[in-house]
Amino acid sequence: EVRRIVETQAAALAAERATTEQLEDLRKTLAALQSHGTSTKEDIKADLNFHLAIASATDNLLIRLIF
């Protein structure tokens, strides 16, 4: 439940606050995530990078620390 709440709010904040550069980073990390599966180290890294990009775009230190 906590993860769902935090991720949902982080996505909303990122949508409101992301800079042009952060939006480009989100596009790149999303593309990488979509080109991977779910079980290899590369898959896990792509997933983590996507979530870190969202956290960064929130401009919220606490959310960045959580991720």
Side-chain angles (χ1 to χ4, degrees):
E1 292 174 336
V2 172
R3 181 178 177 183
R4 189 174 339 138
I5 292 166
V6 171
E7 287 181 348
T8 302
Q9 188 59 37
L13 289 173
E16 292 174 5
R17 300 176 178 175
T19 64
T20 303
E21 181 179 291
Q22 289 168 326
L23 288 173
E24 183 59 30
D25 190 37
L26 282 164
R27 285 183 192 99
K28 288 178 183 176
T29 59
L30 178 59
L33 180 62
Q34 291 173 330
S35 70
H36 285 76
T38 59
S39 60
T40 68
K41 285 184 180 182
E42 292 80 20
D43 302 335
I44 294 167
K45 184 178 178 181
D47 183 67
L48 176 61
N49 287 338
F50 178 67
H51 285 90
L52 290 174
I54 291 172
S56 178
T58 68
D59 197 30
N60 182 299
L61 178 60
L62 184 57
I63 291 175
R64 289 194 321 257
L65 291 172
I66 290 171
F67 284 92

